Amino acid sequence: MKYWLVKSEPDVWSWDDQCKAKNQTTHWDGVRNAQASNNLKAMSKGDRCLFYHSNKERAVVGIVEVVKEFYPDPGDESGRFGMVDVKAVEPLKNPVTLKQIKAEPAFEQLALVRQPRLSVMPVDAKSFKQIIRMSG
DNA sequence: GCCAACGTTGGC
DNA sequence: GCCAACGTTGGC
């Protein structure tokens, strides 16, 4: 199993919205960046993703699971980009903030820290587990 | 194919 | 709300 982190602006699509969706499942669409799109393509069914709120909150708030692998996004006129389907698994007991992550030297290599503008990124298993541990 | 101009993202 | 970083676009 691989691990990832996906970003969303909570004003646009929040963890709460994800949980209220039918079957807690939705399309992770709207990604219009080549690198992020490549990461979406590399996802496999069953992979877990940290759900991160950008902007005001800046914290990992929950975990989602990939339930459908990459397929074309009909909303993309260029035909270059696609999406995956994700399902809410569970919320973090306590959100893990960007501040906490940046304060931890073990996360220096994390794409979240190194590439602040990337919206879909891989997370190694160790870091994934550590973030879960930090959430309580 | 290069690069300047421009737009967008996201942390602060 | 500002601005730095960076991706994309379009003229040449």
Side-chain angles (χ1 to χ4, degrees):
Chain A
M1 187 194 300
K2 297 186 294 297
Y3 298 97
W4 310 90
L5 182 146
V6 293
K7 280 186 189 174
S8 186
E9 292 186 40
D11 289 345
V12 179
W13 185 254
S14 69
W15 172 254
D16 204 37
D17 294 327
Q18 184 72 44
C19 294
K20 284 178 183 159
K22 193 183 171 195
N23 299 326
Q24 294 82 52
T25 302
T26 51
H27 314 306
W28 201 265
D29 60 1
V31 172
R32 295 291 181 270
N33 168 280
Q35 202 182 345
S37 186
N38 283 338
N39 289 331
L40 279 184
K41 276 182 203 165
M43 288 182 181
S44 307
K45 201 173 171 180
D47 284 356
R48 298 268 162 125
C49 313
L50 297 169
F51 192 110
Y52 175 87
H53 278 170
S54 65
N55 277 331
K56 285 270 181 281
E57 256 182 278
R58 271 164 283 136
V60 178
V61 293
I63 301 167
V64 296
E65 179 179 330
V66 177
V67 293
K68 184 171 178 181
E69 292 178 11
F70 191 87
Y71 60 104
D73 179 354
D76 172 33
E77 288 174 15
S78 75
R80 283 183 295 164
F81 298 106
M83 56 195 184
V84 299
D85 288 0
V86 295
K87 176 180 177 137
V89 176
E90 58 178 349
L92 296 192
K93 200 186 287 175
N94 300 294
V96 178
T97 64
L98 180 63
K99 204 174 167 185
Q100 285 174 271
I101 290 170
K102 283 194 162 175
E104 175 55 61
F107 293 135
E108 241 173 44
Q109 297 305 311
L110 215 57
L112 185 68
V113 177
R114 296 174 68 93
Q115 284 178 270
R117 294 188 47 198
L118 189 59
S119 61
V120 181
M121 66 191 79
V123 176
D124 63 281
K126 205 175 154 192
S127 299
F128 185 93
K129 282 166 190 155
Q130 188 168 352
I131 287 169
I132 304 302
R133 213 179 310 128
M134 285 165 73
S135 74

